[in-house]
PDB file of all heavy atoms in Angstrom:
ATOM      1  N   LEU P 374     -12.103  26.987  -5.467  1.00 97.00           N
ATOM      2  CA  LEU P 374     -13.546  26.757  -5.399  1.00 97.00           C
ATOM      3  C   LEU P 374     -14.077  26.884  -3.979  1.00 97.00           C
ATOM      4  O   LEU P 374     -13.344  26.670  -3.003  1.00 97.00           O
ATOM      5  CB  LEU P 374     -13.872  25.344  -5.905  1.00 97.00           C
ATOM      6  CG  LEU P 374     -13.514  25.026  -7.366  1.00 97.00           C
ATOM      7  CD1 LEU P 374     -13.838  23.570  -7.670  1.00 97.00           C
ATOM      8  CD2 LEU P 374     -14.243  25.943  -8.333  1.00 97.00           C
ATOM      9  N   ASN P 375     -15.351  27.209  -3.883  1.00 96.00           N
ATOM     10  CA  ASN P 375     -16.037  27.108  -2.595  1.00 96.00           C
ATOM     11  C   ASN P 375     -16.267  25.628  -2.297  1.00 96.00           C
ATOM     12  O   ASN P 375     -16.391  24.814  -3.218  1.00 96.00           O
ATOM     13  CB  ASN P 375     -17.400  27.802  -2.665  1.00 96.00           C
ATOM     14  CG  ASN P 375     -17.242  29.286  -2.864  1.00 96.00           C
ATOM     15  OD1 ASN P 375     -16.388  29.919  -2.235  1.00 96.00           O
ATOM     16  ND2 ASN P 375     -18.041  29.835  -3.756  1.00 96.00           N
ATOM     17  N   ILE P 376     -16.371  25.301  -1.010  1.00 95.00           N
ATOM     18  CA  ILE P 376     -16.572  23.900  -0.621  1.00 95.00           C
ATOM     19  C   ILE P 376     -17.786  23.309  -1.345  1.00 95.00           C
ATOM     20  O   ILE P 376     -17.750  22.176  -1.811  1.00 95.00           O
ATOM     21  CB  ILE P 376     -16.708  23.785   0.913  1.00 95.00           C
ATOM     22  CG1 ILE P 376     -15.323  24.012   1.546  1.00 95.00           C
ATOM     23  CG2 ILE P 376     -17.261  22.429   1.327  1.00 95.00           C
ATOM     24  CD1 ILE P 376     -15.303  24.008   3.044  1.00 95.00           C
ATOM     25  N   SER P 377     -18.834  24.079  -1.496  1.00 93.00           N
ATOM     26  CA  SER P 377     -20.057  23.556  -2.124  1.00 93.00           C
ATOM     27  C   SER P 377     -19.869  23.231  -3.604  1.00 93.00           C
ATOM     28  O   SER P 377     -20.658  22.488  -4.182  1.00 93.00           O
ATOM     29  CB  SER P 377     -21.191  24.566  -1.976  1.00 93.00           C
ATOM     30  OG  SER P 377     -20.826  25.772  -2.614  1.00 93.00           O
ATOM     31  N   GLU P 378     -18.822  23.770  -4.214  1.00 95.00           N
ATOM     32  CA  GLU P 378     -18.586  23.531  -5.645  1.00 95.00           C
ATOM     33  C   GLU P 378     -17.723  22.296  -5.903  1.00 95.00           C
ATOM     34  O   GLU P 378     -17.608  21.839  -7.044  1.00 95.00           O
ATOM     35  CB  GLU P 378     -17.870  24.739  -6.274  1.00 95.00           C
ATOM     36  CG  GLU P 378     -18.663  26.029  -6.200  1.00 95.00           C
ATOM     37  CD  GLU P 378     -17.842  27.219  -6.653  1.00 95.00           C
ATOM     38  OE1 GLU P 378     -16.783  27.496  -6.057  1.00 95.00           O
ATOM     39  OE2 GLU P 378     -18.261  27.893  -7.619  1.00 95.00           O
ATOM     40  N   LEU P 379     -17.121  21.742  -4.856  1.00 96.00           N
ATOM     41  CA  LEU P 379     -16.111  20.700  -5.065  1.00 96.00           C
ATOM     42  C   LEU P 379     -16.673  19.440  -5.708  1.00 96.00           C
ATOM     43  O   LEU P 379     -16.014  18.800  -6.526  1.00 96.00           O
ATOM     44  CB  LEU P 379     -15.441  20.329  -3.736  1.00 96.00           C
ATOM     45  CG  LEU P 379     -14.593  21.420  -3.071  1.00 96.00           C
ATOM     46  CD1 LEU P 379     -14.053  20.920  -1.738  1.00 96.00           C
ATOM     47  CD2 LEU P 379     -13.441  21.828  -3.976  1.00 96.00           C
ATOM     48  N   LEU P 380     -17.904  19.075  -5.338  1.00 91.00           N
ATOM     49  CA  LEU P 380     -18.437  17.785  -5.799  1.00 91.00           C
ATOM     50  C   LEU P 380     -18.738  17.745  -7.295  1.00 91.00           C
ATOM     51  O   LEU P 380     -18.965  16.674  -7.858  1.00 91.00           O
ATOM     52  CB  LEU P 380     -19.679  17.396  -4.993  1.00 91.00           C
ATOM     53  CG  LEU P 380     -19.388  16.516  -3.784  1.00 91.00           C
ATOM     54  CD1 LEU P 380     -20.655  16.275  -2.971  1.00 91.00           C
ATOM     55  CD2 LEU P 380     -18.751  15.184  -4.186  1.00 91.00           C
ATOM     56  N   ILE P 381     -18.692  18.904  -7.941  1.00 94.00           N
ATOM     57  CA  ILE P 381     -18.946  18.955  -9.386  1.00 94.00           C
ATOM     58  C   ILE P 381     -17.814  18.300 -10.180  1.00 94.00           C
ATOM     59  O   ILE P 381     -18.003  17.839 -11.294  1.00 94.00           O
ATOM     60  CB  ILE P 381     -19.084  20.439  -9.824  1.00 94.00           C
ATOM     61  CG1 ILE P 381     -20.253  21.088  -9.099  1.00 94.00           C
ATOM     62  CG2 ILE P 381     -19.207  20.585 -11.319  1.00 94.00           C
ATOM     63  CD1 ILE P 381     -20.214  22.612  -9.134  1.00 94.00           C
ATOM     64  N   LEU P 382     -16.604  18.255  -9.590  1.00 97.00           N
ATOM     65  CA  LEU P 382     -15.423  17.808 -10.345  1.00 97.00           C
ATOM     66  C   LEU P 382     -15.368  16.288 -10.496  1.00 97.00           C
ATOM     67  O   LEU P 382     -15.974  15.548  -9.719  1.00 97.00           O
ATOM     68  CB  LEU P 382     -14.160  18.285  -9.626  1.00 97.00           C
ATOM     69  CG  LEU P 382     -14.021  19.799  -9.472  1.00 97.00           C
ATOM     70  CD1 LEU P 382     -12.790  20.109  -8.618  1.00 97.00           C
ATOM     71  CD2 LEU P 382     -13.913  20.479 -10.831  1.00 97.00           C
ATOM     72  N   ASP P 383     -14.581  15.840 -11.481  1.00 98.00           N
ATOM     73  CA  ASP P 383     -14.334  14.408 -11.690  1.00 98.00           C
ATOM     74  C   ASP P 383     -13.115  13.999 -10.851  1.00 98.00           C
ATOM     75  O   ASP P 383     -11.980  14.045 -11.301  1.00 98.00           O
ATOM     76  CB  ASP P 383     -14.072  14.163 -13.182  1.00 98.00           C
ATOM     77  CG  ASP P 383     -13.865  12.694 -13.500  1.00 98.00           C
ATOM     78  OD1 ASP P 383     -14.252  11.843 -12.670  1.00 98.00           O
ATOM     79  OD2 ASP P 383     -13.295  12.402 -14.566  1.00 98.00           O
ATOM     80  N   TRP P 384     -13.381  13.614  -9.606  1.00 98.00           N
ATOM     81  CA  TRP P 384     -12.317  13.344  -8.628  1.00 98.00           C
ATOM     82  C   TRP P 384     -11.664  11.982  -8.821  1.00 98.00           C
ATOM     83  O   TRP P 384     -12.329  11.018  -9.224  1.00 98.00           O
ATOM     84  CB  TRP P 384     -12.899  13.388  -7.206  1.00 98.00           C
ATOM     85  CG  TRP P 384     -13.211  14.771  -6.757  1.00 98.00           C
ATOM     86  CD1 TRP P 384     -14.415  15.412  -6.847  1.00 98.00           C
ATOM     87  CD2 TRP P 384     -12.298  15.708  -6.186  1.00 98.00           C
ATOM     88  NE1 TRP P 384     -14.296  16.691  -6.358  1.00 98.00           N
ATOM     89  CE2 TRP P 384     -13.005  16.897  -5.946  1.00 98.00           C
ATOM     90  CE3 TRP P 384     -10.937  15.659  -5.844  1.00 98.00           C
ATOM     91  CZ2 TRP P 384     -12.414  18.026  -5.379  1.00 98.00           C
ATOM     92  CZ3 TRP P 384     -10.347  16.778  -5.282  1.00 98.00           C
ATOM     93  CH2 TRP P 384     -11.074  17.944  -5.060  1.00 98.00           C
ATOM     94  N   ALA P 385     -10.382  11.878  -8.445  1.00 98.00           N
ATOM     95  CA  ALA P 385      -9.777  10.564  -8.214  1.00 98.00           C
ATOM     96  C   ALA P 385     -10.657   9.868  -7.173  1.00 98.00           C
ATOM     97  O   ALA P 385     -11.061  10.489  -6.188  1.00 98.00           O
ATOM     98  CB  ALA P 385      -8.352  10.737  -7.700  1.00 98.00           C
ATOM     99  N   GLU P 386     -10.956   8.606  -7.398  1.00 98.00           N
ATOM    100  CA  GLU P 386     -11.947   7.916  -6.549  1.00 98.00           C
ATOM    101  C   GLU P 386     -11.623   7.988  -5.061  1.00 98.00           C
ATOM    102  O   GLU P 386     -12.521   8.133  -4.227  1.00 98.00           O
ATOM    103  CB  GLU P 386     -12.042   6.438  -6.954  1.00 98.00           C
ATOM    104  CG  GLU P 386     -12.672   6.197  -8.314  1.00 98.00           C
ATOM    105  CD  GLU P 386     -14.163   6.496  -8.316  1.00 98.00           C
ATOM    106  OE1 GLU P 386     -14.806   6.286  -7.275  1.00 98.00           O
ATOM    107  OE2 GLU P 386     -14.658   6.959  -9.360  1.00 98.00           O
ATOM    108  N   ALA P 387     -10.343   7.869  -4.729  1.00 98.00           N
ATOM    109  CA  ALA P 387      -9.956   7.850  -3.312  1.00 98.00           C
ATOM    110  C   ALA P 387     -10.272   9.159  -2.604  1.00 98.00           C
ATOM    111  O   ALA P 387     -10.358   9.204  -1.371  1.00 98.00           O
ATOM    112  CB  ALA P 387      -8.452   7.545  -3.190  1.00 98.00           C
ATOM    113  N   ASP P 388     -10.453  10.219  -3.374  1.00 98.00           N
ATOM    114  CA  ASP P 388     -10.660  11.542  -2.773  1.00 98.00           C
ATOM    115  C   ASP P 388     -12.110  11.814  -2.369  1.00 98.00           C
ATOM    116  O   ASP P 388     -12.378  12.767  -1.631  1.00 98.00           O
ATOM    117  CB  ASP P 388     -10.229  12.642  -3.754  1.00 98.00           C
ATOM    118  CG  ASP P 388      -8.732  12.655  -3.949  1.00 98.00           C
ATOM    119  OD1 ASP P 388      -8.196  11.641  -4.417  1.00 98.00           O
ATOM    120  OD2 ASP P 388      -8.108  13.667  -3.615  1.00 98.00           O
ATOM    121  N   ILE P 389     -13.019  11.015  -2.876  1.00 97.00           N
ATOM    122  CA  ILE P 389     -14.427  11.358  -2.671  1.00 97.00           C
ATOM    123  C   ILE P 389     -14.822  11.379  -1.185  1.00 97.00           C
ATOM    124  O   ILE P 389     -15.472  12.326  -0.734  1.00 97.00           O
ATOM    125  CB  ILE P 389     -15.316  10.447  -3.540  1.00 97.00           C
ATOM    126  CG1 ILE P 389     -15.084  10.871  -5.012  1.00 97.00           C
ATOM    127  CG2 ILE P 389     -16.788  10.575  -3.175  1.00 97.00           C
ATOM    128  CD1 ILE P 389     -15.677   9.973  -6.045  1.00 97.00           C
ATOM    129  N   PRO P 390     -14.357  10.410  -0.368  1.00 96.00           N
ATOM    130  CA  PRO P 390     -14.688  10.520   1.064  1.00 96.00           C
ATOM    131  C   PRO P 390     -14.080  11.761   1.715  1.00 96.00           C
ATOM    132  O   PRO P 390     -14.636  12.290   2.677  1.00 96.00           O
ATOM    133  CB  PRO P 390     -14.079   9.246   1.673  1.00 96.00           C
ATOM    134  CG  PRO P 390     -13.930   8.300   0.527  1.00 96.00           C
ATOM    135  CD  PRO P 390     -13.665   9.149  -0.680  1.00 96.00           C
ATOM    136  N   ILE P 391     -12.960  12.237   1.173  1.00 97.00           N
ATOM    137  CA  ILE P 391     -12.335  13.443   1.734  1.00 97.00           C
ATOM    138  C   ILE P 391     -13.168  14.670   1.374  1.00 97.00           C
ATOM    139  O   ILE P 391     -13.406  15.536   2.213  1.00 97.00           O
ATOM    140  CB  ILE P 391     -10.885  13.582   1.224  1.00 97.00           C
ATOM    141  CG1 ILE P 391     -10.056  12.416   1.762  1.00 97.00           C
ATOM    142  CG2 ILE P 391     -10.282  14.917   1.637  1.00 97.00           C
ATOM    143  CD1 ILE P 391      -8.665  12.331   1.223  1.00 97.00           C
ATOM    144  N   VAL P 392     -13.631  14.719   0.149  1.00 96.00           N
ATOM    145  CA  VAL P 392     -14.495  15.839  -0.252  1.00 96.00           C
ATOM    146  C   VAL P 392     -15.729  15.868   0.650  1.00 96.00           C
ATOM    147  O   VAL P 392     -16.163  16.932   1.112  1.00 96.00           O
ATOM    148  CB  VAL P 392     -14.895  15.710  -1.737  1.00 96.00           C
ATOM    149  CG1 VAL P 392     -15.888  16.797  -2.118  1.00 96.00           C
ATOM    150  CG2 VAL P 392     -13.668  15.770  -2.630  1.00 96.00           C
TER     151      VAL P 392
END
Side-chain angles (χ1 to χ4, degrees):
L374 298 177
N375 294 317
I376 287 177
S377 60
E378 299 172 301
L379 294 177
L380 267 175
I381 299 163
L382 300 174
D383 182 18
W384 287 94
E386 291 290 327
D388 291 61
I389 290 170
I391 295 173
V392 175

